[in-house]
Amino acid sequence: RENAVVHLSQLLTYPVDNYCELVQGAPQFPAEEFPEAAARLRGFATLTVDYSLTRFQELFTYTFDLNPICCLEVGWQLHGEEYARGTFMVAMRDRLRSFGIEESGELPDHLCHVLLLLGRMDQDEAAEFIASGVAPALTKMRTGVEGKDNPFEQVLLAIESFCGVLSGDREEVGHG
């Protein structure tokens, strides 16, 4: 599970040097445990097989940085600019610290950190966190790419499926 969350987390960070290899390595995602997520990541790899690093960077920026509907900060998705987001970020920073996860240059509520946190939580704690925040945030994020022929839709669908398995809600998610 830890390798799976690291892989997903890396796909949601700004593309750098080895990003193309990381995407093409998606077929090694643990398909036995997460079949739908693995299938979605294979789809992402197939859709982007000819992408250069520059093209990934442009698509990533367009998708997640310039499109507020699809921003990767879970707290923003849940609370917008309300005071509650600050409280959520403080709680996230405490959780990250308590699980020994170092923050990157991203904010503590960034989905890349959330995924790493889910990978270290026990199933009950992960299920509660997914239900209370991660799943609703992912649903909002996905609306920013849904039906727009954006390959990152496959990554977000993979994460939704992964979270479904992790929380024990379902074995697979059947999105279009």
Side-chain angles (χ1 to χ4, degrees):
R1 178 168 106 174
E2 183 98 17
N3 289 340
V5 294
V6 168
H7 188 85
L8 290 171
S9 176
Q10 290 172 334
L11 289 173
L12 293 177
T13 57
Y14 185 76
V16 292
D17 303 327
N18 67 336
Y19 194 82
C20 296
E21 293 81 21
L22 177 70
V23 170
Q24 294 309 311
Q28 283 96 40
F29 194 79
E32 286 184 22
E33 191 175 359
F34 306 103
E36 176 69 19
R40 294 292 182 177
L41 293 179
R42 283 191 305 274
F44 180 61
T46 300
L47 290 169
T48 59
V49 70
D50 295 327
Y51 279 32
S52 66
L53 178 60
T54 302
R55 189 163 179 199
F56 272 121
Q57 290 171 333
E58 290 170 354
L59 181 63
F60 187 92
T61 300
Y62 171 79
T63 303
F64 299 118
D65 296 338
L66 300 179
N67 184 3
I69 294 170
C70 201
C71 84
L72 294 171
E73 284 80 24
V74 171
W76 190 90
Q77 293 292 351
L78 298 174
H79 306 291
E81 295 298 325
E82 295 175 19
Y83 180 79
R85 180 178 181 209
T87 303
F88 183 83
M89 288 194 353
V90 168
M92 279 299 302
R93 182 164 278 136
D94 289 344
R95 279 181 148 172
L96 292 171
R97 207 173 287 128
S98 72
F99 280 91
I101 299 169
E102 288 188 38
E103 289 182 53
S104 67
E106 302 294 346
L107 293 171
D109 65 337
H110 192 281
L111 191 54
C112 69
H113 292 132
V114 169
L115 288 166
L116 295 173
L117 189 59
L118 289 173
R120 295 200 182 165
M121 291 176 163
D122 67 41
Q123 185 169 353
D124 290 340
E125 192 174 14
E128 189 279 320
F129 188 42
I130 289 166
S132 69
V134 180
L138 279 169
T139 298
K140 287 182 175 184
M141 289 173 198
R142 196 168 36 81
T143 63
V145 293
E146 200 167 41
K148 296 181 180 171
D149 294 324
N150 186 318
F152 277 110
E153 181 178 10
Q154 296 301 312
V155 176
L156 294 175
L157 288 168
I159 293 168
E160 280 187 332
S161 179
F162 173 82
C163 286
V165 174
L166 203 59
S167 67
D169 285 346
R170 55 193 176 259
E171 289 182 22
E172 292 187 286
V173 175
H175 293 287

